[in-house]
């Protein structure tokens, strides 16, 4: 969860879906399966503060900036890349290749009942699997304490994917469907 100890009043955590998603991905890379809530909160705050100091912004991070600022610059991890997607099968293929997917979305379009309604306009989820029988993506959604292995219908999640610019609630121009792939 992006607010591991439910401190949603702290804007660094309230707007930390990208930081939480990156921390989840790095834990996956390292083979870590559990993250202590206190440690996670400290890491999320440290990452937000570092971005604010170095780049002047930590909120609503553009997916290319997640790759360069967070993964490459902060974590010194370069087995990441951003790609444009055109259909649901693109995501399924990346998962079959053993990649983790960080997907920026219009969180309101996800219709997650656990979000404070109407939900965030700018939200990142981590796609960890696909259920072929139910046609659902399995995600770790940092926006709710119920986000571990949370499922979204495949087409619904695909339609919700869109990039947003780095900066606090800046205008979203276009519907660019770009995701970040993480490899071990």
């Amino acid at each position: 969860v992006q607010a591991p100890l439910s401190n949603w009043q702290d804007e660094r955590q309230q707007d930390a879906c990208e930081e939480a998603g990156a921390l989840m991905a790095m834990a996956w890379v390292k083979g870590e399966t559990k993250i202590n809530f206190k440690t996670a909160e400290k890491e999320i705050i440290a990452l937000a503060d570092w971005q604010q100091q170095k780049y002047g912004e930590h909120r609503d991070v553009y997916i290319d900036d997640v790759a360069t600022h967070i993964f490459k610059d902060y974590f010194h991890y370069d087995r990441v890349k951003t790609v444009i997607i055109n259909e649901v099968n693109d995501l399924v293929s990346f998962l079959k290749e053993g990649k983790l997917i960080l997907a920026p979305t219009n969180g309101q379009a996800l219709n997650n009942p656990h979000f404070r309604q109407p939900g965030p306009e700018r939200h990142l989820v981590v796609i960890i699997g696909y259920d072929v029988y139910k046609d659902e993506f399995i995600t770790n959604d940092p926006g709710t304490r119920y986000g571990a292995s949370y499922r979204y219908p495949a087409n619904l999640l695909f339609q919700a994917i869109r990039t947003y610019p780095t900066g606090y609630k800046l205008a979203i121009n276009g519907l660019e469907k770009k995701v970040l792939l993480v490899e071990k």
Side-chain angles (χ1 to χ4, degrees):
V1 178
Q2 65 197 60
L5 300 174
S6 298
N7 188 4
W8 291 97
Q9 294 74 33
D10 180 355
E11 77 168 23
R12 295 169 298 181
Q13 295 174 66
Q14 189 178 98
D15 293 309
C17 56
E18 298 89 4
E19 292 82 358
L23 287 171
M24 283 187 252
M26 289 307 299
W28 173 76
V29 164
K30 297 173 186 175
E32 298 170 358
T33 56
K34 292 277 186 190
I35 300 175
N36 173 288
F37 285 171
K38 274 189 171 182
T39 301
E41 182 181 75
K42 285 180 185 177
E43 289 183 26
I44 287 167
I45 290 170
L47 180 50
D49 288 346
W50 175 85
Q51 287 178 96
Q52 188 66 42
Q53 182 178 12
K54 181 149 187 181
Y55 295 105
E57 188 59 79
H58 69 273
R59 297 168 295 185
D60 302 335
V61 184
Y62 179 57
I63 199 67
D64 286 338
D65 292 343
V66 173
T68 58
H69 299 178
I70 297 176
F71 281 95
K72 294 178 181 180
D73 196 9
Y74 187 81
F75 287 117
H76 307 290
Y77 191 76
D78 64 356
R79 297 195 69 188
V80 298
K81 70 177 178 178
T82 57
V83 296
I84 299 286
I85 58 168
N86 297 303
E87 59 185 1
V88 167
N89 285 333
D90 293 340
L91 299 170
V92 174
S93 294
F94 298 139
L95 292 167
K96 284 181 180 176
E97 293 169 6
K99 296 177 173 103
L100 201 63
I101 305 167
L102 277 67
T105 68
N106 171 355
Q108 293 178 352
L110 293 173
N111 297 319
N112 188 318
H114 302 292
F115 290 162
R116 181 174 294 172
Q117 295 305 315
E121 288 182 285
R122 297 152 186 86
H123 185 57
L124 182 131
V125 298
V126 180
I127 304 172
I128 60 173
Y130 174 71
D131 183 330
V132 67
Y133 300 107
K134 294 185 177 181
D135 193 28
E136 294 175 334
F137 283 112
I138 305 162
T139 69
N140 281 338
D141 187 328
T144 168
R145 65 179 170 205
Y146 304 106
S149 299
Y150 194 86
R151 291 169 175 255
Y152 289 105
N155 197 52
L156 177 99
L157 179 58
F158 175 77
Q159 293 301 323
I161 293 173
R162 70 164 184 205
T163 61
Y164 42 83
T166 297
Y168 189 58
K169 297 189 186 223
L170 296 178
I172 299 170
N173 298 317
L175 296 173
E176 181 181 50
K177 291 197 176 298
K178 184 184 279 191
V179 296
L180 186 144
L181 307 177
V182 182
E183 294 183 51
K184 281 191 178 186

